[in-house]
Amino acid sequence: MLPLLRCVPRALGSAVAGLRATASSPPLRPLLQPMPRPCIRPFGLLSVRAGSARRPSLLRPREPCACGCSELHTEGDKAFVEFLNDEIKEEKKIQKHKSLPKMSGGWELEVNGTEAKLVRNVAGEKITVTFNINNSIPPTFDGEEEPSQGQKVEEQEPELTSTPNFVVEVIKNGSKKALVLDCHYPEDEVGQEEEDESDIFSIKEVSFQSTGESDWKDTNYTLNTDSLDWALYDHLMDFLADRGVDNTFADELVELSTALEHQEYITFLEDLKGFVKSQ
């Protein structure tokens, strides 16, 4: 039995060798060639010939501008520039202050773009108030119901008022520390007139910072007034009022900030018009 099983592999090997001899083996190169890839381009582009007049807009070369420049001028750009011209004229028409209003109390104004700084020296102390007009206009919410059909309503745009957060920094002569008070205008207090003289601004945070460093450290202790004793808070407000930061100052600051914000907005519109026009 064992000799018979040993002969089986030999017989199979001989048969396979015979088949290899009689059948022609295919070349290996065609087997390694990649399969043809189906075309995935849009049919609209395939139907366009090089010299065809039916050329889609994507393949049509951009015609030179009529003014002779190489810039892109579209009908949308022209309408945009016309709109900006009208907008600039309207904004200049309603502009209250052609120049920035002055603050009473001997404050010196320094403006650097959207940032303004008010400086005052009083009895050996330097008081600096800094604010930025960016994102200083609170959103306006119209809670009134829409007028019924046929009802006439006078179109009057709400007057925009800039109420920025401002930082008061008090430095005493010879001191290496500055008392810093972060103030803001509460939304429910702005624009309200009451019989009693309530504060139209509030102190949010108080901290000490080093006078020799340009950047304030977050590692210094900061006092949040949300959970502060009212007696201590009133003394801090009186401390600011004695140095000229009171309700009168806060009202004038709103007027100054609003004028600066409107001025920068007009400048932005003019720059935007020049950018779109590009001539």
Side-chain angles (χ1 to χ4, degrees):
M1 187 67 180
L2 291 178
L4 179 61
L5 293 176
R6 290 178 181 177
C7 295
V8 172
R10 296 179 181 178
L12 291 176
S14 301
V16 171
L19 291 175
R20 287 180 179 178
T22 57
S24 58
S25 60
L28 294 178
R29 185 175 299 274
L31 297 177
L32 299 179
Q33 290 181 354
M35 295 294 293
R37 299 174 59 185
C39 183
I40 57 176
R41 292 184 179 180
F43 292 100
L45 297 181
L46 291 176
S47 62
V48 178
R49 300 178 182 176
S52 175
R54 296 176 58 255
R55 182 172 299 178
S57 58
L58 291 177
L59 298 182
R60 186 180 299 118
R62 179 168 59 89
E63 297 179 357
C65 180
C67 63
C69 67
S70 59
E71 300 293 336
L72 177 62
H73 300 301
T74 65
E75 294 297 329
D77 292 346
K78 293 179 182 179
F80 197 5
V81 171
E82 293 177 0
F83 169 80
L84 290 174
N85 282 329
D86 296 338
E87 187 73 9
I88 292 171
K89 291 179 182 179
E90 291 297 326
E91 292 297 330
K92 288 184 177 181
K93 186 184 300 182
I94 64 175
Q95 188 177 13
K96 291 184 177 180
H97 302 280
K98 302 302 178 182
S99 59
L100 297 179
K102 295 182 178 181
M103 300 281 293
S104 61
W107 295 92
E108 298 180 1
L109 176 63
E110 301 176 6
V111 178
N112 182 18
T114 60
E115 184 177 274
K117 181 182 296 185
L118 296 166
V119 182
R120 182 188 184 195
N121 294 287
V122 179
E125 292 183 357
K126 181 180 179 182
I127 301 98
T128 304
V129 179
T130 308
F131 64 93
N132 196 307
I133 63 170
N134 284 334
N135 302 320
S136 62
I137 298 181
T140 56
F141 299 98
D142 189 6
E144 299 180 358
E145 296 181 358
E146 296 182 358
S148 59
Q149 187 175 2
Q151 182 180 0
K152 295 182 180 179
V153 178
E154 295 181 1
E155 295 183 0
Q156 184 178 1
E157 296 183 358
E159 183 178 356
L160 300 180
T161 303
S162 173
T163 55
N165 299 338
F166 60 94
V167 177
V168 182
E169 182 181 359
V170 181
I171 303 176
K172 293 182 177 292
N173 289 343
S175 176
K176 297 181 179 180
K177 290 184 178 181
L179 181 61
V180 179
L181 303 99
D182 189 359
C183 306
H184 71 112
Y185 293 91
E187 294 182 2
D188 55 349
E189 297 291 341
V190 177
Q192 292 186 1
E193 296 182 359
E194 300 179 358
E195 295 181 358
D196 56 340
E197 295 182 358
S198 60
D199 297 320
I200 64 175
F201 74 97
S202 61
I203 303 173
K204 188 176 182 181
E205 294 178 347
V206 185
S207 65
F208 278 106
Q209 300 293 339
S210 300
T211 58
E213 298 179 358
S214 57
D215 297 332
W216 292 335
K217 293 182 178 180
D218 295 335
T219 54
N220 292 353
Y221 178 78
T222 300
L223 176 65
N224 193 307
T225 60
D226 290 341
S227 58
L228 188 64
D229 181 73
W230 281 106
L232 177 56
Y233 181 83
D234 289 340
H235 280 295
L236 289 174
M237 293 295 292
D238 293 339
F239 177 84
L240 290 180
D242 293 339
R243 285 151 182 81
V245 183
D246 51 10
N247 280 348
T248 301
F249 173 86
D251 281 331
E252 294 180 356
L253 180 62
V254 169
E255 184 178 3
L256 171 62
S257 178
T258 302
L260 179 59
E261 197 280 335
H262 199 186
Q263 177 179 294
E264 289 295 320
Y265 176 66
I266 294 175
T267 302
F268 172 80
L269 293 178
E270 292 174 342
D271 293 341
L272 182 59
K273 184 190 72 173
F275 182 82
V276 175
K277 194 174 181 180
S278 297
Q279 288 184 356

